[in-house]
């Protein structure tokens, strides 16, 4: 939605104000020697079986990469992700040591919230389509596009300094080493789904994840609102009429006002429709071509389409009266996922490569919610309560275009350069560069909520009768758009030198990150405070029909609602230069030290899309307000890592130490006074322009044993000290509203230990050679001091939100000797953790442990065919939150059964 009178291009406009690789696919699989092949031929003809890769081998390959990295990292490969059957990047990451998944979207690294964890795509920053956070919700990325996930837990100077718990780099599949073509189809059944699901009249293109215009704000209505300069109330309309006709009556103004309401989409009847299984289809094509002995090019394209339905019931209870004040919400969510990735690559002389990645991702949720609740104004035994019907269609699109290159001035390049122009170079420098331009857009063409009065069963709370609440804002229509644009450019140079038994690499580079975000929201309402009960009873489509709305006896009123400061525009600009030295002596001792200088600038302002006058402008012109909206900071961020290689108790033992100073910056939305309802909690969230970045001191120690059998064990210690951490705290609000505000607390610390290992059970007992065990456990302690800025917290000293005292992952894998069968059983649990902090004596709320057990089985009957079966949440555990032993929230998770078939051509 665009407003004719106010069109913003946030990035160029506000940046001006502020001025002021693809990872190569690892070929995995079992190899046979020539003697083994001879034995196979002598034993007679057999079916040829090509194993796509053993999970054990995949894990060992990624361990090799981890060994070569100078800092503390963890890796998760496509093979392991595929074997476990995780469908999104977010769900996959909970398998990594020290990571927890919150709301199925956001990943907490070492107990630090999503704001402390950054995400990149092939090493570059990308925008977020999430309305309430600049952090990327990782559930929008399907695992089908992933080659590997790299989780860097220790900072290095070649990364942006906005680094807290860690950085998650999503590395997409690149150009294949040979011709490839495959198609995969999967279906899933969700046990919580009934045969009928809640829905409403949508549009003709919903199956494509986009609205066809049915829900959108009527352009004629927008034109009339603009023509009336945003003043659509009856009195303003009457004043306008009397400017040309002094005899105009209030009844005429009321009629015009009601006619404006007719331009809203009022086909609001709650419906039910039959459900079926979820399904998804994945297609992958690619190949490479030798144009000459020196030049190779390649291309791949992959696509994914999926639809699923999730029916869930959420029950919330007030701590003080859990049996009297109850909130029950029945939700049906249809999700459409569309993904396309195009990768192009060229390699010259095996020393120069250029890669291009084009990604399009669409994730659309169409949610219908029916809610009945009882509060202090009407408790359950009274036989009356409240309710609402909510329809929300949210379309999120992400477009990314990336170019990257690597150029080694090695012997082959010197050979082809005429005149020996490069022979004078004493070293073989390598230059890398990248350009990433991306745009995220979230579009909610219409979110409707209709408030209801409920006559209920005084024992069960079940709704017996409902009618629309007598209020002029009984039906709320909200139209929202978000445009978030990020441009990230950078280059680096490596200069290797050999000096005796030492190898020294001098590195340096620069990077530029620009981000602009425009959030625009319009809120309209239609309702009546005087309509008789009969006119407010029945199907919603009938209650808001043309006849009832236009009938003067019903007293319907159309209005513009909201506080006019929900919309905002914001931008950041970061210029950075870094330098590193990597010294390796005899492959025994390695020291890496670096410095990064960043100049960071930000600006954030709320605006009124319907500001037409100097007294009510689109954006403030107050000089002091503009000065407060701009923030600038430049600093130097150091990092040091030490590595010792030896053979203590294993074939290879590595001891790592890391120290760094970084910073965590607030989200763009949090820097304005704009308020909004968090779609996850329905809490009122208030921004705070006074929030400032939080400096972080990071310490890491990791010991790793790599055994000759391929098994490994690692133990990591970590400590983080955060000055003025950015946290949400509850603040004063109305009796039925929970409000939270972002502030800088006084301080926070978190420390802990991570233990991770891979064991082939054949090393314990040869009969178990086909089995292996992989697992990790994290134990940590976190403490936050609220300080004076917090509004009367119950506990001034408490845990960090969602920082779990322990996290455990176990994975038992099986690969048959003939390569035809593979199975995996994966277990995950997270300890009780703080979900919400109390205020004014109210106890803290804790999310209880969730025990997840998943299993997958794959059968490879032929070289080209794979059949897979999976079960999720075998234990049938549910999500619950408690306050002092009182259960205040419950959501049934349900179980999922899946079948899939894949064919390689």
């Amino acid at each position: 939605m665009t407003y004719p009178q106010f069109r913003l291009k946030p990035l160029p406009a506000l940046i001006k104000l502020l001025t002021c690789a693809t990872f190569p696919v690892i070929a995995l699989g079992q190899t046979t020697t020539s003697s083994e092949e001879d034995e196979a031929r002598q034993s007679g003809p057999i079916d040829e079986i090509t194993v796509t890769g053993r999970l054990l081998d995949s894990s060992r390959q990624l361990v090799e990469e981890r060994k070569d990295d100078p800092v503390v990292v963890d890796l998760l490969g496509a093979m392991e992700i595929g074997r476990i059957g995780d469908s999104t990047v977010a769900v996959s990451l909970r398998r990594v040591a020290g990571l927890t998944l919150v709301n199925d979207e956001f990943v907490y690294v070492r107990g630090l919230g999503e704001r402390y964890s950054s995400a990149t795509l092939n090493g570059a920053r990308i925008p977020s389509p999430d309305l309430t956070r600049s952090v990327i919700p990782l559930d929008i990325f399907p695992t089908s596009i992933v080659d590997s996930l790299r989780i860097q837990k220790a900072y290095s100077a070649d990364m942006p300094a906005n680094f807290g718990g860690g950085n998650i780099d999503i590395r997409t599949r690149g150009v294949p080493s040979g011709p490839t073509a495959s198609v995969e189809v999967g279906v899933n059944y969700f046990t919580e789904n009934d045969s009928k699901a809640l829905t409403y009249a949508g549009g003709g293109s919903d199956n494509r994840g986009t609205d066809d215009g049915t829900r959108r704000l009527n352009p004629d209505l927008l034109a009339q609102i603009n023509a009336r300069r945003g003043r659509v109330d009856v009195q303003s309309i009457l004043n306008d009429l009397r400017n040309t006709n002094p005899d105009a009556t209030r009844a005429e103004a009321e009629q015009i006002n009601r006619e404006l309401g007719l331009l809203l989409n009022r086909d609001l009847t709650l419906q039910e429709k039959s459900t079926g299984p979820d399904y998804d289809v994945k297609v992958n094509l690619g190949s490479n071509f030798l144009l000459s002995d020196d030049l190779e090019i390649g291309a791949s394209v992959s696509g994914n389409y999926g639809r699923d339905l999730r029916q869930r019931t959420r029950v919330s209870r007030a701590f003080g009266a859990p049996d009297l004040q109850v909130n029950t919400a029945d939700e049906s969510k249809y999700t459409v996922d569309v993904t396309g990735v195009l990768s192009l690559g060229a390699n010259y002389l095996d020393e120069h490569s250029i890669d291009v990645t084009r990604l399009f991702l669409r994730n659309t949720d169409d949610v219908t919610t029916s809610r009945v609740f009882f509060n202090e104004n009407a408790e359950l035994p009274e036989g009356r309560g409240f309710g609402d019907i909510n329809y929300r269609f949210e379309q999120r699109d992400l477009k990314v275009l990336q170019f990257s290159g690597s150029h080694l001035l090695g012997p082959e390049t010197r050979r082809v350069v005429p005149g020996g122009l490069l022979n004078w170079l004493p070293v073989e420098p390598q230059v890398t560069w990248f350009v990433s331009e991306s745009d995220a857009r979230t579009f909610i063409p219409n979110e409707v909520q209709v408030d209801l009065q409920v006559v209920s069963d005084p024992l069960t709370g079940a709704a017996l009768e409902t009618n629309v609440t007598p209020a002029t804002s009984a039906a709320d229509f909200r139209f929202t758009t978000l445009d978030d644009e990020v441009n990230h450019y950078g280059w680096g140079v490596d200069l290797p030198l050999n000096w005796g038994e030492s190898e020294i690499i001098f590195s340096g580079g620069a990077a530029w990150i620009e981000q602009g975000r425009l959030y625009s929201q319009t809120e309209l309402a239609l309702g009546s405070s005087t309509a008789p009960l009969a006119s407010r009873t029945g199907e919603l489509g009938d209650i808001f029909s043309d006849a009832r709305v236009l009938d003067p006896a019903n007293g319907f009123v159309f209005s513009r609602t909201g506080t006019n400061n929900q919309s905002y525009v914001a931008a950041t600009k970061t210029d950075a230069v870094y330098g590193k030295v990597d010294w390796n002596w005899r492959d025994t001792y390695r020291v890496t030290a670096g410095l990064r200088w960043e100049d960071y600038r930000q600006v954030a302002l709320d605006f009124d899309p319907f500001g037409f006058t100097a007294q009510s402008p689109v954006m403030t012109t107050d000089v002091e307000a503009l000065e407060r909206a701009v923030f600038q900071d430049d600093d130097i961020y150091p990092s040091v890592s030490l590595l010792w290689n030896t053979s203590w108790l294993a074939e290879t033992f590595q001891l790592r130490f890391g120290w760094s100073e970084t910073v965590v910056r607030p989200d763009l939305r949090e820097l304005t006074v704009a308020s909004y309802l968090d779609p996850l909690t329905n809490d009122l969230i208030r921004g705070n322009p006074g929030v400032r970045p939080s400096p972080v001191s990071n310490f890491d120690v990791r010991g790793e044993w790599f055994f000759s059998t391929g098994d490994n064990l690692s133990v990591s210690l970590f400590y983080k000290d955060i000055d003025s951490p950015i946290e949400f705290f509850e603040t004063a609000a109305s009796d039925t509203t929970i409000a939270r505000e972002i502030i800088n607390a006084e301080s926070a610390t978190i420390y802990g230990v991570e233990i991770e290992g891979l064991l082939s059970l054949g090393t314990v007992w040869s009969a178990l050679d086909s089995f292996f065990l992989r697992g990790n456990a994290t134990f940590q302690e976190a403490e936050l001091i609220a300080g004076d800025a917090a509004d009367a917290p119950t506990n001034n000293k408490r845990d960090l939100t969602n920082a779990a005292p322990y996290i455990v992952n176990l994975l038992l894998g099986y690969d048959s000797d003939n390569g035809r069968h593979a199975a995996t059983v994966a277990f995950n649990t997270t300890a009780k953790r703080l979900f919400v902090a109390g205020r004014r004596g109210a106890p803290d709320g804790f999310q209880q442990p969730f025990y997840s057990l998943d299993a997958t089985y794959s059968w490879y009957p032929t070289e080209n065919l794979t059949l897979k079966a999976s079960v999720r949440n075998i234990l049938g555990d549910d999500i619950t939150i408690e306050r002092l032993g009182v259960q205040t929230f419950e959501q049934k998770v349900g179980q999922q059964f899946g079948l899939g078939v894949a064919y390689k051509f």
Side-chain angles (χ1 to χ4, degrees):
M1 180 179 61
T2 58
Y3 298 98
Q5 83 285 5
F6 186 63
R7 297 171 184 256
L8 279 182
K9 294 292 186 181
L11 191 58
L14 288 184
I15 291 300
K16 186 174 182 180
L17 176 62
L18 287 171
T19 308
C20 327
T22 50
F23 183 71
V25 175
I26 300 174
L28 299 175
Q30 296 174 307
T31 59
T32 57
T33 63
S34 58
S35 60
E36 291 172 332
E37 292 172 349
D38 291 338
E39 292 175 6
R41 282 192 291 268
Q42 293 169 7
S43 62
I46 61 173
D47 293 334
E48 183 181 3
I49 299 293
T50 299
V51 183
T52 54
R54 293 169 60 106
L55 179 55
L56 180 60
D57 293 337
S58 173
S59 299
R60 289 169 175 169
Q61 288 279 358
L62 293 175
V63 163
E64 289 301 314
E65 180 180 347
R66 192 171 80 179
K67 288 169 61 176
D68 293 337
D69 207 295
V71 296
V72 175
V73 299
D74 287 315
L75 296 117
L76 197 62
M79 183 60 61
E80 182 169 354
I81 294 171
R83 278 284 302 271
I84 299 173
D86 294 329
S87 59
T88 70
V89 167
V91 175
S92 296
L93 286 169
R94 66 180 176 145
R95 314 291 180 187
V96 178
L99 272 62
T100 53
L101 180 62
V102 177
N103 296 320
D104 290 331
E105 296 179 277
F106 302 104
V107 173
Y108 281 42
V109 180
R110 290 177 167 174
L112 294 172
E114 70 266 17
R115 74 169 66 256
Y116 294 91
S117 304
S118 55
T120 53
L121 184 73
N122 298 320
R125 278 275 305 274
I126 56 176
S128 170
D130 188 87
L131 292 175
T132 61
R133 298 162 175 84
S134 295
V135 180
I136 302 167
L138 296 175
D139 65 322
I140 68 173
F141 292 96
T143 52
S144 59
I145 70 170
V146 174
D147 179 70
S148 64
L149 302 173
R150 184 178 189 272
I151 303 93
Q152 183 166 333
K153 298 178 178 178
Y155 175 71
S156 56
D158 54 348
M159 296 182 62
N162 188 22
F163 183 99
N167 180 77
I168 299 162
D169 187 30
I170 303 169
R171 304 192 287 197
T172 58
R173 299 178 186 270
V175 175
S177 57
T180 180
S182 64
V183 60
E184 181 177 352
V185 179
V187 294
N188 295 286
Y189 170 73
F190 184 55
T191 58
E192 290 300 301
N193 287 357
D194 295 327
S195 59
K196 298 287 187 179
L198 299 177
T199 188
Y200 61 100
S205 59
D206 289 0
N207 286 342
R208 300 197 298 271
T210 185
D211 179 64
D212 63 359
T214 299
R215 303 172 178 85
R216 302 188 185 202
L217 178 58
N218 190 310
D220 293 336
L221 176 58
L222 179 59
Q224 292 203 43
I225 294 175
N226 289 333
R228 297 180 183 280
R229 306 182 74 179
R231 299 175 302 188
V232 294
D233 60 283
V234 172
Q235 186 60 49
S236 295
I237 293 174
L238 179 59
N239 294 339
D240 291 340
L241 290 175
R242 286 178 175 172
N243 287 333
T244 57
N245 179 13
D247 297 326
T249 65
R250 186 172 186 85
E252 292 174 328
E254 291 174 347
Q255 178 70 11
I256 294 174
N257 175 272
R258 289 192 292 268
E259 289 174 352
L260 290 175
L262 294 183
L263 295 176
L264 292 167
N265 174 26
R266 292 162 290 110
D267 191 357
L268 303 177
T269 296
L270 186 65
Q271 304 174 6
E272 289 186 340
K273 75 174 183 179
S274 300
T275 63
D278 306 336
Y279 64 91
D280 63 87
V281 179
K282 305 179 181 72
V283 178
N284 181 47
L285 301 170
S287 188
N288 65 337
F289 309 92
L290 291 174
L291 300 184
S292 70
D293 292 340
D294 297 330
L295 179 61
E296 179 183 7
I297 63 172
S300 70
V301 59
S302 60
N304 175 61
Y305 175 85
R307 287 199 67 196
D308 64 64
L309 165 67
R310 289 293 179 268
Q311 292 177 264
R312 290 189 171 95
T313 298
R314 299 185 178 93
V315 180
S316 303
R317 301 178 184 273
F319 167 73
D323 296 326
L324 305 177
Q325 300 175 21
V326 185
N327 184 325
T328 303
D330 293 314
E331 176 187 280
S332 296
K333 180 170 73 172
Y334 290 88
T335 299
V336 175
D337 290 301
V338 182
T339 307
V341 181
L342 172 66
S343 298
L344 304 173
N347 187 292
Y348 181 60
L349 300 172
D350 287 332
E351 294 182 348
H352 302 269
S353 64
I354 295 178
D355 297 288
V356 181
T357 301
R358 179 63 166 170
L359 179 143
F360 171 78
L361 185 151
R362 172 173 294 162
N363 172 264
T364 300
D365 291 333
D366 191 3
V367 184
T368 302
T369 306
S370 176
R371 189 167 66 113
V372 175
F373 60 95
F374 307 89
N375 56 30
E376 58 269 34
N377 299 318
E379 296 185 333
L380 188 147
E382 298 178 23
R384 64 183 182 89
F386 307 96
D388 54 55
I389 303 295
N390 183 279
Y391 307 127
R392 179 185 176 94
F393 184 94
E394 182 172 351
Q395 175 185 333
R396 297 174 291 270
D397 290 350
L398 176 64
K399 299 177 182 178
V400 181
L401 178 61
Q402 296 180 330
F403 299 86
S404 62
S406 176
H407 309 279
L408 175 67
L409 303 184
E412 292 300 313
T413 301
R414 301 181 190 213
R415 174 180 61 83
V416 300
V417 172
L421 295 178
L422 298 179
N423 292 339
W424 62 273
L425 290 173
V427 296
E428 297 180 357
Q430 185 171 19
V431 179
T432 57
W433 56 270
F434 68 92
V435 174
S436 177
E437 297 184 349
S438 48
D439 178 77
R441 186 171 189 265
T442 297
F443 181 40
I444 304 180
N446 192 8
E447 179 181 4
V448 183
Q449 178 167 307
V450 181
D451 295 333
L452 305 174
Q453 293 180 328
V454 177
V455 177
S456 59
D457 186 314
L459 296 178
T460 66
L464 303 176
E465 298 177 13
T466 62
N467 60 81
V468 173
T469 300
T472 57
S473 59
D476 182 86
F477 299 79
R478 191 173 300 174
F479 307 86
T480 304
T481 57
L482 168 71
D483 283 294
D484 195 348
E485 181 183 352
V486 173
N487 295 332
H488 190 181
Y489 318 111
W491 59 267
V493 177
D494 291 340
L495 296 174
L497 295 174
N498 291 314
W499 179 39
E501 295 181 292
S502 297
E503 180 184 7
I504 304 176
I505 301 176
F506 295 94
S507 303
W512 300 266
I513 305 175
E514 301 172 341
Q515 180 175 10
R517 180 172 259 228
L518 171 63
Y519 178 91
S520 182
Q521 178 177 299
T522 295
E523 197 170 348
L524 307 174
L526 182 65
S528 171
S529 59
T530 60
L533 180 61
S535 296
R536 296 184 283 106
T537 303
E539 300 288 355
L540 295 182
D542 296 332
I543 295 172
F544 293 96
S545 65
D546 291 3
R548 292 196 191 183
V549 171
L550 289 176
D551 187 346
N554 290 328
F556 274 89
V557 176
F558 169 76
S559 60
R560 234 178 15 96
T561 58
T563 57
N564 299 325
N565 69 346
Q566 298 97 335
S567 302
Y568 69 95
V569 61
T572 66
K573 190 177 193 308
T574 306
D575 300 331
V577 178
Y578 73 90
K580 287 198 313 178
V581 177
D582 187 354
W583 172 60
N584 189 333
W585 182 66
R586 299 176 60 180
D587 288 329
T588 302
Y589 298 99
R590 186 174 180 181
V591 179
T592 306
L595 294 173
R596 185 182 186 92
W597 171 81
E598 283 194 354
D599 182 13
Y600 173 77
R601 286 151 283 173
Q602 71 182 31
V603 59
L605 289 165
D606 59 281
F607 71 88
D608 179 3
F610 296 100
F612 290 93
T613 66
Q615 293 74 28
S616 179
V618 170
M619 194 174 291
T620 182
T621 56
D622 180 78
V623 174
E624 292 184 0
L626 291 172
E627 289 177 348
R628 288 193 301 269
V630 178
F631 175 78
Q632 187 274 336
D633 180 49
D634 67 281
D635 208 341
I636 294 176
Y637 302 93
S639 62
V640 176
S641 64
L642 309 176
L643 173 63
W644 176 42
N645 265 308
T646 186
S647 57
W648 181 55
L649 301 180
E651 183 180 53
T652 301
F653 170 73
Q654 291 186 336
L655 181 63
R656 301 171 184 270
F657 168 79
W659 165 79
S660 62
E661 297 286 340
T662 58
V663 67
V664 173
R665 299 173 178 129
D667 279 352
L668 291 178
R669 177 156 202 167
E670 298 167 348
L671 299 171
T672 74
V673 297
S675 60
Y676 61 94
L677 290 177
D678 191 314
L680 301 176
T681 63
N682 209 37
D683 294 343
L684 178 66
I685 307 298
R686 295 169 177 162
N688 182 357
V691 172
R692 291 297 177 252
S694 305
V696 184
S697 297
N698 309 277
F699 300 88
D700 293 272
V701 178
R702 172 179 278 186
E704 297 178 278
W705 291 266
F706 303 95
F707 302 97
S708 58
T709 59
D711 301 336
N712 61 80
L713 173 68
S714 69
V715 179
S716 304
L717 304 175
F718 61 89
Y719 176 85
K720 293 180 182 291
D721 187 4
I722 309 172
D723 184 26
S724 302
I726 303 169
E727 279 282 305
F728 280 110
F729 284 86
E730 188 173 337
T731 187
S734 66
D735 57 352
T736 58
T737 301
I738 297 176
R740 306 192 187 282
E741 182 182 23
I742 196 77
I743 68 166
N744 287 111
E746 184 177 309
S747 63
T749 57
I750 186 165
Y751 58 91
V753 57
E754 296 172 346
I755 304 171
E756 184 174 9
L758 172 67
L759 174 65
S760 173
L761 297 184
T763 62
V764 179
W765 184 23
S766 60
L768 299 177
D769 188 54
S770 296
F771 295 86
F772 64 93
L773 182 67
R774 178 174 179 177
N776 59 71
T778 302
F779 305 91
Q780 59 191 15
E781 292 286 341
E783 180 181 272
L784 178 133
I785 307 298
D788 297 333
D791 184 5
T794 298
N795 298 303
N796 188 57
K797 181 187 294 186
R798 62 168 174 83
D799 292 343
L800 284 167
T801 305
N802 280 302
Y806 66 82
I807 309 161
V808 176
N809 285 287
L810 292 174
L811 186 148
L812 176 64
Y814 168 78
D815 289 289
S816 66
D817 292 336
N818 62 8
R820 289 182 180 271
H821 307 277
T824 303
V825 178
F827 173 78
N828 168 269
T829 188
T830 302
K832 182 178 73 173
R833 59 190 190 269
L834 179 67
F835 181 80
V836 60
R839 175 178 176 267
R840 293 194 177 277
D844 295 339
F846 290 87
Q847 183 168 338
Q848 301 305 298
F850 183 87
Y851 300 97
S852 170
L853 184 65
D854 304 329
T856 60
Y857 165 74
S858 298
W859 178 36
Y860 309 96
T862 70
E863 176 185 356
N864 304 100
L865 182 64
T866 303
L867 303 176
K868 181 183 290 187
S870 64
V871 184
R872 318 284 294 179
N873 194 26
I874 295 173
L875 302 178
D877 210 356
D878 300 325
I879 297 173
T880 57
I881 298 171
E882 293 184 3
R883 290 191 170 198
L884 283 182
V886 176
Q887 189 176 103
T888 58
F889 178 86
E890 179 184 11
Q891 176 183 300
K892 291 191 176 298
V893 175
Q895 296 168 308
Q896 178 178 300
F897 298 86
L899 293 173
V901 56
Y903 190 82
K904 262 188 179 180
F905 296 92

